[in-house]
Amino acid sequence: MTCSIARTVSIVGDAWTLLLLREVFLRSRRFEDFQAHTGMSPHLLSVRLSKLVSHGILDRVVYQKRPLRYEYRPTAKGLELYPIVLALTYWGDRWTSGRKGPPTRLVHKTCGRPMYAVPTCSECGERIRPQEVRAEIGDALATERASMRARLKGPVS
Amino acid sequence: MTCSIARTVSIVGDAWTLLLLREVFLRSRRFEDFQAHTGMSPHLLSVRLSKLVSHGILDRVVYQKRPLRYEYRPTAKGLELYPIVLALTYWGDRWTSGRKGPPTRLVHKTCGRPMYAVPTCSECGERIRPQEVRAEIGDALATERASMRARLKGPVS
């Protein structure tokens, strides 16, 4: 897969993993906490934790020796998934909260105010709107997409 | 479910739907284009398109009468999913691209430069870092989480 979104999705793009990431950013670190707050079965949870560890998103660290206990801490690579969690939160708050308002308040400690995340341009700092972005598909991805289209139309005789 | 992330994830948090959203923001509008560029089967694709239509994320619009043909256009609610797509792109570009660099360039038409999305605080405009955010869990969600923890520990005798 050449597409960055497809690659990201293949690593974190399932419902349980996204909930697990939420928990990581709510400062959960232990198996029992992940299990309790997501409702995942132990098996489902271990498979997902192992995958995140194998991709270098979480580190598995001993926090107690007798009996041996591990916790899961986000790496630098894992912490950079935060914009995804912020974006999921924003949309859910805005479009699914109903009358009661958002279930959680995110307070920006730097300025002390409740906030939501606004995606801005790394270059000019302006808010990014979909109409104002042009995606320039590179050669490798363009070739892959053309061959997917060709495959759909059937073999050329 | 009280959590905004869980709600968002239940609507768009599966791999195929996230790929479908990518296509929407690459300006694909038609069934055949979605199918070709994602590799989804027609059945999987129709189920997901219908779900997005039923949640008011896509509008199904006639674009040709003879024969009857539809296209799928993002609503205002759908366009606001863009930050999720931007965040998936950023992480994939940064952590999975390898030597060749990102497969697609996003150009911000407003300033004319290739860019990536930076999540900033809606209040003070500063870049948001996970360490600088405090999540204040509201009463409804706190109760739900406590009862999930209690359930895990088994019935109280």
Side-chain angles (χ1 to χ4, degrees), chain B residues 8-109:
Chain B
T8 307
V9 163
S10 76
I11 300 171
V12 300
D14 75 279
W16 289 122
T17 302
L18 292 169
L19 288 185
L20 202 44
L21 292 177
R22 171 198 71 188
E23 280 307 305
V24 167
F25 288 105
L26 285 174
R27 314 278 198 276
S28 289
R29 294 292 177 263
R30 300 185 182 173
F31 195 94
E32 308 77 59
D33 294 328
F34 293 133
Q35 200 190 341
H37 295 144
T38 63
M40 261 190 261
S41 76
H43 175 69
L44 280 183
L45 177 56
S46 340
V47 168
R48 277 165 181 78
L49 285 171
S50 300
K51 185 171 179 185
L52 292 174
V53 169
S54 76
H55 282 283
I57 289 169
L58 297 177
D59 267 341
R60 187 163 173 265
V61 183
V62 174
Y63 74 86
Q64 184 184 289
K65 289 208 163 157
R66 295 188 193 179
L68 199 57
R69 294 273 184 270
Y70 297 93
E71 62 180 24
Y72 296 86
R73 296 182 195 156
T75 61
K77 185 175 177 180
L79 287 174
E80 290 204 1
L81 291 163
Y82 196 46
I84 300 173
V85 172
L86 285 170
L88 294 169
T89 307
Y90 166 76
W91 195 86
D93 282 351
R94 179 141 160 69
W95 293 98
T96 73
S97 297
R99 247 178 347 98
K100 290 181 190 167
T104 299
R105 255 175 26 151
L106 296 181
V107 176
H108 193 213
K109 293 193 262 179

Side-chain angles (χ1 to χ4, degrees), chain A:
Chain A
M1 281 180 311
T2 306
C3 167
S4 285
I5 298 180
R7 287 171 175 159
T8 307
V9 162
S10 75
I11 300 171
V12 300
D14 75 279
W16 289 121
T17 302
L18 292 168
L19 288 184
L20 202 44
L21 292 177
R22 172 198 70 188
E23 281 307 306
V24 167
F25 288 104
L26 285 174
R27 314 277 197 277
S28 290
R29 295 290 178 264
R30 299 183 183 176
F31 195 93
E32 309 76 60
D33 294 328
F34 293 133
Q35 199 189 341
H37 295 144
T38 63
M40 262 189 260
S41 76
H43 175 70
L44 279 183
L45 177 55
S46 332
V47 168
R48 276 164 183 79
L49 285 171
S50 300
K51 185 171 178 185
L52 293 174
V53 169
S54 76
H55 282 283
I57 288 169
L58 297 177
D59 267 342
R60 188 162 172 265
V61 183
V62 174
Y63 75 87
Q64 184 184 289
K65 288 206 166 158
R66 294 184 195 182
L68 198 58
R69 292 275 183 269
Y70 297 94
E71 61 179 26
Y72 296 85
R73 296 184 195 154
T75 61
K77 184 175 176 180
L79 287 173
E80 290 205 1
L81 290 163
Y82 196 47
I84 299 174
V85 172
L86 285 170
L88 294 168
T89 307
Y90 167 77
W91 195 84
D93 282 350
R94 179 142 160 68
W95 293 99
T96 72
S97 299
R99 247 181 342 104
K100 289 180 190 167
T104 299
R105 254 173 27 148
L106 296 181
V107 176
H108 193 214
K109 293 193 262 179
T110 316
C111 72
R113 276 172 286 181
M115 58 96 190
Y116 59 90
V118 175
T120 58
C121 169
S122 58
E123 308 309 308
C124 71
E126 287 292 306
R127 182 183 196 126
I128 302 173
R129 295 174 201 284
Q131 302 82 349
E132 291 163 4
V133 176
R134 185 175 65 242
E136 295 180 352
I137 297 180
D139 291 346
L141 187 54
T143 306
E144 186 178 289
R145 287 167 70 86
S147 94
M148 288 177 87
R149 284 196 299 276
R151 211 177 310 145
L152 186 69
K153 287 181 183 152
V156 179
S157 60

Side-chain angles (χ1 to χ4, degrees), chain B residues 88-140:
Chain B
L88 294 169
T89 307
Y90 166 76
W91 195 86
D93 282 351
R94 179 141 160 69
W95 293 98
T96 73
S97 297
R99 247 178 347 98
K100 290 181 190 167
T104 299
R105 255 175 26 151
L106 296 181
V107 176
H108 193 213
K109 293 193 262 179
T110 315
C111 72
R113 275 172 289 181
M115 58 95 190
Y116 59 90
V118 175
T120 59
C121 169
S122 58
E123 307 309 307
C124 72
E126 287 292 307
R127 184 183 194 126
I128 302 173
R129 295 173 201 284
Q131 301 83 349
E132 292 165 3
V133 176
R134 183 174 68 243
E136 295 180 353
I137 297 181
D139 290 346

